[in-house]
């Protein structure tokens, strides 16, 4: 079964959205010329969501700097430096942006722990989810610092026997978490993409991490076959630190992974949630502080439509690697 190509009106609706959406539609759905894509991408810093977020940065380089004990580096959610930078990453803010680079230095200097990972205060040792997220930010914004290799090494050392990761491993967890695993996989992908060292072990770790997700068919218990959590089937944006199958599939397409049949059920769920007008809705949103609302809960979502279309384009076009 193949999905009908996106209708002209769906594409037109997407292109009427924010620059963060437009440049990704041009690149990932339409395959437009690189010059056209980059011209649109540069607008992320000057207009729309990206410009609004950049305008909220403190003079010191953080967001929400005076609102938490960690100086706004990780808390409060979702207006802290970490979560604002994650949204700017997903929006495609150009890597050379000076404001983002300044924040990268603060995230690294303020969070690096003696064990080689990142955390912002409350346990005195690193936290695997946060380390994965921050590595993704530093790599995406091409922050030039040898300590990125330290973070990557730490994550390699935290991989569990089942192939995934769990931020509660030091508290006795013996099975990986899909939440932690997807954050680490995204971090390792961007680290590899932007010149990280030790390419072979980084790729091997990602293969093992993907296999952990695959044996669960992205959302089912390996032991019983039951759905692990129904929320995994509801598409959120921004996902923050949370996992769902669309976020996982977007990672699989980003690395051009092989089209494994164990992804088939998740792909069918993506297809089945498409509306008659060719759009996907915002099915879930995580509560917390925000600077502004991106999209309305229950309404058609350009973010989810964009991500679903590029996942289906990858799936129907075949895999690589």
């Amino acid at each position: 079964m193949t999905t009908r190509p996106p209708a002209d009106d769906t594409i037109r609706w997407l292109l009427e959205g924010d620059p963060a959406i437009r440049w990704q539609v041009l690149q990932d759905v339409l395959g437009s010329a690189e010059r056209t894509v980059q011209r649109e991408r540069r607008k992320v810093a000057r207009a729309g969501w990206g410009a609004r977020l950049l305008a909220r940065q403190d003079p010191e380089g953080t967001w929400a700097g005076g609102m938490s004990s960690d100086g706004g580096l990780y808390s409060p959610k979702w207006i802290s430096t970490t979560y604002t930078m994650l949204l700017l990453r997903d929006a495609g803010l150009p890597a050379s942006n000076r404001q983002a680079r300044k924040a990268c230095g603060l995230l690294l200097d303020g969070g690096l722990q003696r064990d080689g990972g990142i955390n912002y205060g409350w346990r005195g040792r690193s936290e695997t989810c946060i380390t994965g997220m921050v590595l993704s930010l530093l790599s995406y914004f091409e922050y030039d610092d040898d300590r990125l290799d330290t973070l990557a090494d730490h994550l390699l050392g935290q991989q569990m026997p089942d192939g995934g990761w769990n931020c509660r491993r030091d508290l006795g967890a013996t099975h990986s978490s899909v939440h932690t695993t997807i954050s680490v996989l995204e971090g390792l992908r961007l680290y590899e993409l932007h010149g990280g060292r030790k390419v072979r072990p980084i790729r091997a770790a990602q293969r093992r991490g993907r296999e952990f997700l695959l044996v669960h068919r992205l959302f089912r218990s390996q032991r019983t076959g039951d759905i692990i959590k129904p929320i995994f089937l509801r598409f959120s944006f921004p996902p923050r630190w949370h996992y769902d199958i669309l976020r996982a599939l977007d990672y699989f397409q980003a690395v051009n992974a092989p089209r494994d049949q164990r992804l088939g059920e998740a792909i069918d769920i993506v297809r089945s949630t498409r509306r008659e007008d060719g759009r996907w809705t915002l099915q879930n949103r995580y509560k917390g502080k925000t600077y502004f609302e991106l999209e309305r809960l229950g309404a058609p979502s350009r973010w989810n439509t964009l991500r679903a279309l590029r996942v289906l384009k990858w799936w129907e076009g075949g895999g690589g690697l």
Side-chain angles (χ1 to χ4, degrees):
M1 174 184 175
T2 58
T3 301
R4 61 190 183 280
D8 288 346
D9 57 350
T10 301
I11 295 298
R12 187 161 47 248
W13 173 72
L14 287 170
L15 292 175
E16 289 168 353
D18 193 90
I21 298 291
R22 292 200 300 266
W23 81 264
Q24 294 184 73
V25 172
L26 291 169
Q27 175 183 274
D28 301 336
V29 180
L30 297 178
S32 300
E34 181 69 11
R35 184 163 55 181
T36 302
V37 171
Q38 292 307 320
R39 184 171 61 242
E40 194 63 41
R41 186 176 187 176
R42 286 192 292 271
K43 296 177 184 177
V44 171
R46 305 195 302 264
W49 296 326
R52 292 176 71 184
L53 290 171
L54 289 172
R56 302 301 294 264
Q57 190 178 28
D58 306 324
E60 296 78 17
T62 55
W63 280 263
M67 299 179 67
S68 65
S69 59
D70 67 10
L73 292 176
Y74 189 74
S75 299
K77 297 171 181 174
W78 311 108
I79 59 172
S80 67
T81 305
T82 298
Y83 286 102
T84 303
M85 288 280 281
L86 287 171
L87 189 48
L88 289 169
R89 178 202 69 184
D90 290 345
L93 181 70
S96 59
N97 182 271
R98 292 182 181 179
Q99 289 179 250
R101 290 270 180 88
K102 184 175 183 179
C104 283
L106 297 172
L107 287 172
L108 184 55
D109 291 343
L112 187 64
Q113 304 294 317
R114 278 180 285 183
D115 63 6
I118 293 284
N119 205 352
Y120 294 106
W122 52 97
R123 280 198 291 162
R125 68 179 86 184
S126 64
E127 207 271 4
T128 309
C129 283
I130 298 174
T131 304
M133 289 190 282
V134 172
L135 179 62
S136 81
L137 294 173
L138 301 177
S139 299
Y140 173 86
F141 288 108
E142 299 175 5
Y143 192 71
D144 186 14
D145 193 302
D146 288 343
R147 290 176 291 176
L148 271 70
D149 302 327
T150 302
L151 300 184
D153 283 339
H154 177 78
L155 291 174
L156 292 178
Q158 290 297 309
Q159 193 164 24
M160 298 180 72
D162 60 14
W165 287 264
N166 192 321
C167 63
R168 300 180 66 83
R169 184 180 186 182
D170 63 324
L171 300 178
T174 58
H175 189 272
S176 292
S177 157
V178 291
H179 298 293
T180 309
T181 298
I182 194 62
S183 287
V184 173
L185 285 173
E186 290 170 350
L188 294 179
R189 178 184 85 83
L190 289 168
Y191 172 76
E192 176 193 344
L193 190 63
H194 295 291
R197 300 173 187 171
K198 301 183 178 179
V199 170
R200 188 172 296 177
I202 292 294
R203 288 181 177 172
Q206 288 185 79
R207 283 194 297 271
R208 290 180 59 212
R210 289 196 296 271
E211 181 61 24
F212 167 75
L213 297 179
L214 286 167
V215 299
H216 291 85
R217 287 179 279 170
L218 298 193
F219 65 94
R220 291 193 179 277
S221 165
Q222 183 182 4
R223 183 173 55 84
T224 67
D226 295 338
I227 295 173
I228 300 170
K229 289 185 178 180
I231 197 69
F232 292 169
L233 309 185
R234 299 183 65 77
F235 306 156
S236 305
F237 195 90
R240 315 302 187 182
W241 57 262
H242 301 85
Y243 173 92
D244 64 53
I245 62 171
L246 184 55
R247 181 180 177 185
L249 287 167
D250 206 17
Y251 163 79
F252 275 78
Q253 73 79 24
V255 297
N256 195 22
R259 293 193 308 160
D260 192 292
Q261 63 181 1
R262 291 170 290 179
L263 295 173
E265 190 176 7
I267 290 288
D268 287 343
I269 292 169
V270 173
R271 287 185 177 128
S272 70
T273 52
R274 187 179 197 173
R275 299 177 4 149
E276 283 298 314
D277 61 6
R279 305 171 188 182
W280 281 260
T281 61
L282 182 64
Q283 298 177 319
N284 180 60
R285 182 166 56 205
Y286 293 102
K287 293 180 180 179
K289 297 176 184 292
T290 58
Y291 289 113
F292 51 86
E293 184 179 81
L294 292 176
E295 298 180 312
R296 195 159 47 84
L297 186 63
S301 163
R302 288 185 172 91
W303 277 114
N304 283 347
T305 301
L306 162 67
R307 295 187 299 149
L309 286 177
R310 69 184 172 205
V311 162
L312 294 177
K313 181 180 178 182
W314 158 74
W315 181 256
E316 289 157 9
L321 283 193

